[in-house]
Amino acid sequence: MARTAKSSKFETLPPFDADMEEAVIGSLLLDGEAMSHLASVLEPQDFFRETNGCIYQACLNLYQAGIGIDQVLVAQELLRQAKLDFVGGPAYLIHCLSAVPTSLHIEHYAGQVKALAQRRKLIAIAGQIAAYGYEGVTDAVPRAIAALTNIGGNHRYLLSPKEWAELILAGITRRQTPECAGLSWGWPGLDELTGGLAPGNLILVGARPSMGKTTLLQQTATSVIAAGRTVLFFSAEMTAQDLGDRQIALMTGIPIRELLTQAQEPHWAAIQEAVGQLAELPIWVAASRGVTTREIRSLAEQVLARVGKLDLVVVDYLQILGDREGENQNVRVSYISANLQHLAKELNVPVLVASQLSRALTWRQEKRPTLADLRDSGSLEQDADIVLFLHREDYYYRDEDDYAKGGNEGNFPAGELEVIQAKHRQFGEVRHAFLKWD
C-alpha cells in the first residue's frame, strides 16, 4: 500500500510503496530476464528503502555482467559487496520471492516505484524552490527552472563548452576508423548517398507495395551480418517462414516460386547448406503482426544482453505495428515514429524502418515519391534522420511500347530501382542512386 505524506508537526512521510518495491525484487528473483524491461528505466535510487535499492543494484550488476539473476546469485553478489546482512540476509530475499506469484506484472510494479520516486523528487524540489523565495535569492526563477529540470535527470545531458568540444573531436576521430563508421548497406552507391547506416539514426525507406521495401531491408541485413555484425529483424507483415524463404532464395539464387512449391532435387544440397549457414549467422528474427515499439525495445535489450552487442534494428513495416490500436491513425503513427527515434538514440544503433506511402501518388502522372507522400503523419518526416524512397518506373508499364505511349522519352528503364534520398539531416541535399532490380 502506498504511503502518502500527512500533515504533522512531528513527521512528514514521503510517498512510497513497500509492497511494490518488494514485488519488483521478487519478480526479478523469479525471472532474471525481466531485467531487460527495467534496466534502462528504473534506477537503484528510485527505491525508497535503501535495502531494496541495494538488492536492485546487485541485480543490475549481474545483468550488466551477462550473469543470470536468481536468489543464490543475488545473495552472492550482495555478500561480495558486504551488504547481505544489511538487506536482511537470505531470509529477506525469500520474503520478496513470496511477495509475487509471477513476474508477468513487473513493468507495472516498476512503473509504480518510478512514479513514487518522481513524486518524492518533486516534493524535495518544491521545498528547495520555496527556500529560494523565502531567502530572496536574486536569480530564483532560473534556479527554480533548473531544479525542476533536474527531476527528469536532464542535467546529465548539459555540456560545458569544453565538454562539448571534446565530445565533437572524439566523435569525429572515432568515425575515421572503419569499425566505428556507419554500417555498409552492401551497395557502394547507397553508402556514398547516405554515408552508411550511422548509429543513432532513424532511417525510413518508403515505397508503395511491391516496390521492394522488404527485399532491400533483408538484403541490407544480410550484408551487415556478413560483416560479422548483429542484426535484429522485426516483421509485422510476414511470418518467420516467409522471411526464411526469401532469405534462402537470396543466399542460393533459387527462385522463390520454386521454394514455395516443390524444390528441384539438384537444389536440395544448396538449400541445406544455406540453412546451415543461416543457423550460424548473427541475425535474430521476430515476426508478429501485433508487435509494438515497446516490445521491439524489450527484445532489442534482450539481444543486447545475450549477445553483448547489437548493430542494427530493422522494422518491416511501421504502419502495421500494434501500438495504440483504435486511435486516430495520425496520432498512432506519430507515437510509433517518436518511439523508434528514441530507440535509435538510446541504444545508439541505426534503426532501419520500412514505411508505406500514400495511395494518392499512383493517381498522378509523376510517380516518383516526395516527402508529402509519407503516409498518415507529418511526424515521420520530422523524426527520421534519413528518408529514402524506392521507385521502379518499369512497374507502371508493360513494355517499351507502353512506356513510349505514356509520353516518356529515352530507353525503357527495365530492371532499374531508383533510390531517392529525400531527406538527410546532416547532408541536406536531395540525391539519387540506382540499383539493379532482379
Side-chain angles (χ1 to χ4, degrees), residues 7 32 70 79 98 130 137 146 148 167 174 193 196 237 249 258 263 281 286 295 315 338 367 385-386 402:
S7 296
D70 60 28
L79 186 62
S98 65
V137 177
L148 285 170
L167 177 71
R174 185 175 64 253
L193 185 73
E237 183 179 31
E258 181 178 329
L281 294 174
E295 291 169 331
V315 181
K367 301 295 194 297
D385 296 284
I386 297 174
D402 191 36

Side-chain angles (χ1 to χ4, degrees), residues 34-43 56 60 63-64 301:
M35 177 58 86
S36 63
H37 300 281
L38 309 187
S40 63
V41 295
L42 193 63
E43 301 176 351
Y56 182 78
L60 195 58
Y63 172 77
Q64 292 171 341
E301 290 173 343

Side-chain angles (χ1 to χ4, degrees), residues 361-381:
L361 76 84
T362 63
W363 302 331
R364 64 180 189 242
Q365 184 172 358
E366 175 54 72
K367 301 295 194 297
R368 285 177 177 81
T370 68
L371 289 171
D373 295 312
L374 283 172
R375 185 174 172 180
D376 300 319
S377 176
S379 66
L380 293 177
E381 176 185 349

Side-chain angles (χ1 to χ4, degrees), residues 297-339:
R297 181 192 183 97
S298 174
L299 293 175
E301 290 173 343
Q302 287 185 40
V303 172
L304 194 56
R306 294 175 66 173
V307 180
K309 65 174 183 174
L310 179 59
D311 300 295
L312 175 65
V313 175
V314 182
V315 181
D316 184 24
Y317 63 91
L318 186 146
Q319 280 81 4
I320 55 174
L321 295 181
D323 299 70
R324 297 193 173 185
E325 290 183 338
E327 289 195 18
N328 175 279
Q329 183 71 351
N330 285 346
V331 173
R332 199 177 75 82
V333 170
S334 296
Y335 175 83
I336 292 171
S337 70
N339 281 0

Side-chain angles (χ1 to χ4, degrees), residues 241-254:
Q241 181 66 59
D242 292 336
L243 286 173
D245 291 338
R246 286 184 172 224
Q247 187 68 33
I248 297 304
L250 175 64
M251 295 171 69
T252 61
I254 298 172

Side-chain angles (χ1 to χ4, degrees), residues 269-289:
I271 293 171
Q272 292 173 337
E273 181 180 357
V275 170
Q277 292 173 354
L278 189 60
E280 302 298 323
L281 294 174
I283 183 166
W284 298 68
V285 174
S288 171
R289 187 173 182 84

Side-chain angles (χ1 to χ4, degrees), residues 91-216:
Y92 183 67
L93 298 180
I94 294 172
H95 166 74
C96 291
L97 265 172
S98 65
V100 287
T102 174
S103 65
L104 287 176
H105 306 296
I106 188 170
E107 291 181 77
H108 171 73
Y109 303 145
Q112 294 297 308
V113 171
K114 188 73 176 181
L116 290 166
Q118 294 289 72
R119 286 172 58 189
R120 293 194 300 273
K121 290 178 183 177
L122 184 61
I123 291 168
I125 294 298
Q128 185 178 338
I129 293 173
Y132 294 156
Y134 281 116
E135 296 167 4
V137 177
T138 55
D139 56 346
V141 172
R143 289 176 68 176
I145 293 172
L148 285 170
T149 301
N150 285 346
I151 292 179
N154 291 334
H155 60 285
R156 293 177 297 174
Y157 309 113
L158 181 64
L159 299 176
S160 69
K162 183 175 184 295
E163 290 169 334
W164 190 30
E166 291 174 347
L167 177 71
I168 293 169
L169 180 59
I172 294 174
T173 303
R174 185 175 64 253
R175 289 193 297 270
Q176 305 312 301
T177 59
E179 63 272 14
C180 293
L183 299 175
S184 173
W185 289 83
W187 296 276
L190 282 189
D191 291 339
E192 193 276 332
L193 185 73
T194 63
L197 299 154
N201 276 3
L202 174 62
I203 304 151
L204 285 185
V205 176
R208 290 294 298 151
S210 301
M211 284 291 147
K213 295 187 300 296
T214 300
T215 300
L216 181 74

